[in-house]
Amino acid sequence: MKQRKETPKSSDLPIYLFKQGNNQEAYRYFGAHLCEENGEAGAVFRVWAPHAKAVSIVGDFNSWTPGEHPMEKVTDGIWERFVPGIKQFDVYKYCITTPADELVYKADPYAFHTETRPSNGSKVYDIEGYTWGDAAWVSDEEKRDVINSPMSIYELQAGSWKMKDPENGVPYNYAELADELIPYIKEMGYTHAYGPAVDRDYRIPLYMDELTAALYRLNPTLPDDAISDALFKLQNFENGELVQKNAVFMDYLQNGIEVCYTDKGEERSAICYLVDYSNTDNNSFIVANQWTFIENDEKRPDVLLFINGLPVVLMELKSPSREETDASEAYTQIRNYMHSIPSMFIYNAICVMSDLSENRAGTITSGEDRYMEWKTKDGSYENTQFAQFDTFFEGIFTKDRLLDILKNFILFSNEGLTSYKILAGYHQYFAVRKAVESTKRATVTDGKGGVFWHTQGSGKSLSMVFYAHLLQSALNSPTIVVLTDRNDLDDQLYLQFAKCSDFLRQKPVHAESREHLRSLLEGRKANGIIFTTMQKFEESFECLSDRRNIVVMADDPFFLFSYR
C-alpha cells in the first residue's frame, strides 16, 4: 500500500490545466487512492461534480447508505473525502444530489478497476508499480490527424437498460435484441413497419408510398410535375463515388431539391422540401426491421429508421451473448453492406453499430475508431465511465433531436480528392446549441455572447463551423468575423471553414488589411464569414462598422463570441 505523510491538497492539481484538458496526470489526483491519514489506513476519494448540491461515497463498506460518508467541496467543483478501512477491490459509487434534489448513483470516471457487466460499480485498486504499455502511442500523439482520429471512446454498458435474464446476467442475442429495440423506439413516437408485410419493390431502397405522400404533404403548392421531378432526382444520381452521391442527397435533405415544372406554358423552378424541420409532427417516422433490399446481393439490415420514406439511419446489431462477435463485427457488416447494397447508403445519414455493450454512431466515411458514443440526453448531465443504452438512443433519436442533427450537425469536409462526412459529437452538439442561445440573448443585452471551452483534440474548429452555420438561421444571416492571434492559426481555421463551405453555403474570405476588413464589412448588409488577425485592431481604435448584425469569434485556446 502506498503510504502518504498527509493527504494531497487541492493545490496538487493545477485547476486551469485540468479545465483546458491539458493535465495529463489528473488520474493521480482524482479517483480512489489507497493511503494513510493520521496513521489510519483507508482511501481518499475525489471527483469533479461542479453542479452537484452534495456528493457522498456509497459502497459495500457502508451498506450503500447515502450521506453516511459525505464528501467536502474543496475547490472549483472538486469533492473530496478520506474513508478509513477501505481495502483493495472494495466496490463503490458516488451518490450525487442534483440541483433538483434527486439522488443519482454514478461510477467513478477515474476508477482503475470496475465490476464485470451487468454490474457497473467502481473498484478501489492500487496502480502503484503498474507498468504502462502506451509509450509508442504517447510518442505518436503529436502526429495525430485530429479530424480522422478518435477523440474519446467509452465502453457503453447496455445491460443496465435490459437483460434477457437479469438474475443470471444473460443478455439478448441479436435477433431478440432487434425485437426489444423496435418497441423501445416505438415508444419514442415512431411507427413500426415489418418489412415482409410491406408491398414494395425490393430493388428500391426508398419507402416509395411514404415518400410520395410526404412530398405532397410538405409541398402543397407544387404541381404534380414538380413532385415527379423531385422523385426522379432522388432515384437518379449522376455517376460518381458513393460519397459524392451521398453528399448530393444530404444537400437535398438539409436544403431541399431544386425542381422544374411548366406553368401555363412557362418554365418555372421551385424548392421541393424532403423534411419539415419547423414542424416535427408534419413528418413520418418509421422504424423497420426485416427490410430486404436486393442489389449486388440480397441483404436485410437489422433496423432501419425512415423519415418521410427516406432510410436515413441504419442500425446493425450483434449479440452480446456470443463471445466471438461484438460491435466491431457490426462495423464490418456495415462496410460489407456498402459493397453489397451501396444504393441504400446513398440515403444514409447515420450508421449505428451495437452489441448492447457498445453503442456507437458514425457516418459512411467513418473508420471504426470514429464511431462515437452519445453520453447525455439533454446536455444537463452526462454519463461518465459508462454511457447508458437509453442515453444513447434517446439522446440521438428522439424525433426533434434527430431532425436537428440531420439539418445542422452533419457536414462534409472536402479534403481535395477525398471528402469526409462528419457527425457532430454530443459535446459539440450541446455546446453549440448553448452558444447560439447565449448569442441570441446577447443581441438584446450587452452584446457579450460568452466563452466556449474545448479540450485539445475535441473538434473546436468544427464546433465553430457548426456554430457559424446555425447563426445564419438563428440571427437572420449575420456577418461573422473570426479573429485569431497568429497568422498560422488564421490560415488553419480559414482552411477548415473553406473545406466546409458547401455546408455553410458561403465561402470564407481573408481580410488582408484593416482597410480591406472595413470594405468587406461596408460592402454587405448581411452574410459573410471574414477571417482576420487581432493585430489589425491594434493599428487604430477607429470604428470599423456601425452595423448591428456582426458576430465576432475570437479563437485560442477556447473561442469567445460576441454580437454587435
Side-chain angles (χ1 to χ4, degrees):
M1 178 185 297
K2 185 177 180 179
Q3 183 173 351
R4 296 180 182 270
K5 293 182 179 179
E6 63 178 49
T7 303
K9 306 300 181 185
S10 59
S11 58
D12 290 356
L13 178 74
I15 299 300
Y16 76 98
L17 287 179
F18 172 68
K19 289 185 175 180
Q20 288 180 4
N22 293 327
N23 190 319
Q24 300 180 13
E25 296 191 348
Y27 70 92
R28 296 185 182 277
Y29 183 81
F30 289 109
H33 297 269
L34 293 169
C35 62
E36 290 187 1
E37 189 169 297
N38 298 325
E40 192 168 13
V44 61
F45 296 82
R46 298 186 191 89
V47 66
W48 189 60
H51 302 300
K53 291 183 66 175
V55 183
S56 63
I57 308 162
V58 295
D60 294 333
F61 47 86
N62 62 11
S63 301
W64 298 88
T65 304
E68 185 162 327
H69 289 94
M71 303 181 76
E72 178 185 359
K73 190 173 185 179
V74 291
T75 181
D76 284 328
I78 298 174
W79 300 76
E80 179 179 283
R81 171 68 188 251
F82 174 80
V83 180
I86 297 294
K87 303 180 298 299
Q88 182 128 298
F89 300 117
D90 278 355
V91 179
Y92 70 97
K93 284 188 176 183
Y94 297 113
C95 178
I96 297 174
T97 304
T98 70
D101 290 321
E102 296 176 342
L103 297 182
V104 291
Y105 295 83
K106 294 297 177 181
D108 189 343
Y110 281 90
F112 299 129
H113 206 300
T114 187
E115 291 184 294
T116 302
R117 68 178 189 184
S119 300
N120 57 9
S122 302
K123 289 186 176 182
V124 177
Y125 187 78
D126 188 5
I127 64 167
E128 191 69 25
Y130 181 82
T131 301
W132 297 96
D134 60 352
W137 182 89
V138 171
S139 65
D140 291 339
E141 188 177 18
E142 294 184 357
K143 306 173 186 177
R144 283 193 310 133
D145 180 350
V146 175
I147 291 179
N148 300 304
S149 300
M151 289 183 283
S152 295
I153 302 296
Y154 296 80
E155 181 180 356
L156 187 146
Q157 178 50 278
S160 61
W161 171 64
K162 188 173 288 188
M163 297 285 286
K164 183 176 182 180
D165 182 358
E167 292 185 1
N168 297 306
V170 179
Y172 289 103
N173 63 41
Y174 86 94
E176 294 167 332
L177 171 57
D179 290 340
E180 290 296 318
L181 185 58
I182 296 298
Y184 177 74
I185 295 178
K186 285 176 63 179
E187 291 177 2
M188 295 162 62
Y190 289 69
T191 301
H192 176 228
Y194 178 58
V198 177
D199 185 15
R200 59 190 174 85
D201 186 341
Y202 281 21
R203 297 185 180 275
I204 298 178
L206 304 169
Y207 193 165
M208 291 302 299
D209 289 347
E210 285 290 326
L211 174 59
T212 304
L215 294 186
Y216 277 103
R217 184 175 65 252
L218 271 55
N219 304 277
T221 63
L222 292 183
D224 292 346
D225 287 352
I227 300 299
S228 296
D229 190 30
L231 289 170
F232 177 82
K233 289 180 176 178
L234 279 170
Q235 297 178 81
N236 295 274
F237 291 82
E238 294 183 1
N239 292 333
E241 299 293 331
L242 173 60
V243 174
Q244 295 171 319
K245 295 178 180 179
N246 184 249
V248 173
F249 169 73
M250 288 302 300
D251 182 55
Y252 290 166
L253 186 69
Q254 293 173 336
N255 303 301
I257 305 175
E258 184 174 351
V259 294
C260 297
Y261 62 95
T262 302
D263 180 28
K264 298 178 181 180
E266 293 187 11
E267 186 89 1
R268 298 188 182 277
S269 63
I271 300 297
C272 181
Y273 294 99
L274 306 185
V275 177
D276 188 341
Y277 291 105
S278 62
N279 182 5
T280 301
D281 293 337
N282 201 26
N283 304 288
S284 73
F285 294 80
I286 292 175
V287 54
N289 63 330
Q290 302 293 313
W291 193 273
T292 300
F293 177 53
I294 302 172
E295 193 170 6
N296 298 331
D297 201 350
E298 179 176 324
K299 295 296 180 181
R300 189 168 55 245
D302 291 328
V303 177
L304 291 168
L305 300 187
F306 291 85
I307 296 180
N308 297 332
L310 302 166
V312 294
V313 179
L314 180 145
M315 300 182 182
E316 187 63 20
L317 313 174
K318 291 300 174 185
S319 171
S321 65
R322 295 173 57 194
E323 293 184 359
E324 69 273 17
T325 64
D326 55 18
S328 293
E329 191 74 16
Y331 174 77
T332 301
Q333 183 71 289
I334 290 173
R335 302 305 295 182
N336 289 338
Y337 284 159
M338 292 173 65
H339 294 285
S340 300
I341 50 173
S343 293
M344 178 69 74
F345 291 88
I346 292 175
Y347 310 98
N348 179 266
I350 301 172
C351 297
V352 172
M353 59 185 194
S354 171
D355 68 351
L356 273 192
S357 63
E358 285 185 89
N359 290 323
R360 292 186 277 165
T363 73
I364 62 169
T365 67
S366 300
E368 184 180 352
D369 58 358
R370 294 299 298 167
Y371 276 69
M372 293 185 295
E373 80 293 347
W374 194 278
K375 296 177 62 184
T376 179
K377 294 180 183 180
D378 58 11
S380 62
Y381 187 84
E382 68 177 48
N383 296 152
T384 49
Q385 184 176 7
F386 296 103
Q388 303 298 325
F389 178 88
D390 59 340
T391 299
F392 176 85
F393 279 94
E394 293 177 33
I396 301 177
F397 298 112
T398 53
K399 293 193 289 186
D400 289 342
R401 178 70 50 71
L402 180 57
L403 291 187
D404 192 17
I405 291 172
L406 294 178
K407 172 68 172 174
N408 300 308
F409 291 93
I410 297 176
L411 59 76
F412 280 84
S413 180
N414 298 311
E415 314 280 335
L417 298 177
T418 305
S419 292
Y420 295 99
K421 186 178 182 181
I422 297 171
L423 167 67
Y426 73 95
H427 64 293
Q428 293 171 313
Y429 175 86
F430 288 106
V432 168
R433 269 290 167 202
K434 290 179 180 179
V436 169
E437 291 304 310
S438 180
T439 308
K440 288 166 66 176
R441 287 193 298 271
T443 65
V444 294
T445 55
D446 59 3
K448 297 178 180 179
V451 180
F452 193 129
W453 285 94
H454 256 295
T455 56
Q456 184 177 5
S458 60
K460 178 180 63 175
S461 297
L462 287 170
S463 293
M464 296 174 76
V465 173
F466 288 122
Y467 172 71
H469 165 78
L470 263 177
L471 285 181
Q472 300 306 309
S473 58
L475 296 182
N476 195 24
S477 302
T479 298
I480 298 171
V481 176
V482 184
L483 293 178
T484 61
D485 63 355
R486 301 200 313 269
N487 287 330
D488 58 336
L489 286 178
D490 187 46
D491 292 339
Q492 292 170 17
L493 196 54
Y494 171 85
L495 182 60
Q496 182 62 73
F497 272 67
K499 291 175 181 177
C500 302
S501 58
D502 289 344
F503 176 69
L504 293 167
R505 302 182 72 79
Q506 56 184 316
K507 294 183 181 295
V509 295
H510 256 134
E512 302 299 337
S513 65
R514 181 180 177 86
E515 284 306 312
H516 187 206
L517 176 59
R518 183 199 304 277
S519 66
L520 289 172
L521 293 173
E522 290 178 348
R524 68 189 75 226
K525 298 298 182 183
N527 290 313
I529 301 174
I530 304 169
F531 281 78
T532 187
T533 56
M534 296 180 183
Q535 286 79 359
K536 294 182 178 62
F537 289 86
E538 297 175 354
E539 299 168 7
S540 171
F541 294 103
E542 183 182 356
C543 179
L544 287 168
S545 175
D546 58 3
R547 285 171 44 200
R548 296 293 299 170
N549 62 339
I550 299 174
V551 175
V552 178
M553 291 193 285
D555 174 51
D556 190 32
F558 42 83
F559 76 78
L560 299 164
F561 47 99
S562 61
Y563 179 86
R564 172 177 170 77

